[in-house]
Amino acid sequence: MTEEPKLDPSTRARYEEERFPQSYESWRYCIEHKCGLRLTPDYIQQRISILTDPQQEETRRFARTYGKAYLTQVVAWFERAAAAC
């Protein structure tokens, strides 16, 4: 997990209450702090590989559950995280 970000109380509360992140910053907070996962280059590439492969059951399940638009958004956030590594 990365160091806890410096957030104002209202932003932290909003991120904590969001069921589905609506911004890159919120998504990153969710992954790293709510889920306790490290966004390492290997992890990021694994997620991108899975989520961009329509033959993967996990990808199909994600699209059915959250919609194709949200899948596309999450892939874009992983790609942004990859560029920041």
Side-chain angles (χ1 to χ4, degrees), residues 38-84:
R38 294 189 62 226
L39 285 171
T40 64
D42 287 342
Y43 178 75
I44 293 167
Q45 287 308 314
Q46 287 175 345
R47 300 309 302 152
I48 291 171
S49 292
I50 291 169
L51 294 174
T52 58
D53 181 352
Q55 299 306 311
Q56 291 282 335
E57 174 56 30
E58 185 174 344
T59 305
R60 293 193 305 267
R61 186 173 51 247
F62 189 105
R64 280 193 312 269
T65 303
Y66 304 108
K68 289 184 180 181
Y70 198 66
L71 172 61
T72 300
Q73 182 60 72
V74 169
V75 169
W77 288 332
F78 272 112
E79 290 170 341
R80 181 173 171 185

Side-chain angles (χ1 to χ4, degrees), residues 21-36:
Q22 299 301 308
S23 68
Y24 174 76
E25 294 77 13
S26 174
W27 169 82
R28 192 165 183 124
Y29 180 87
C30 181
I31 294 288
E32 296 180 322
H33 301 286
K34 290 169 81 173
C35 298

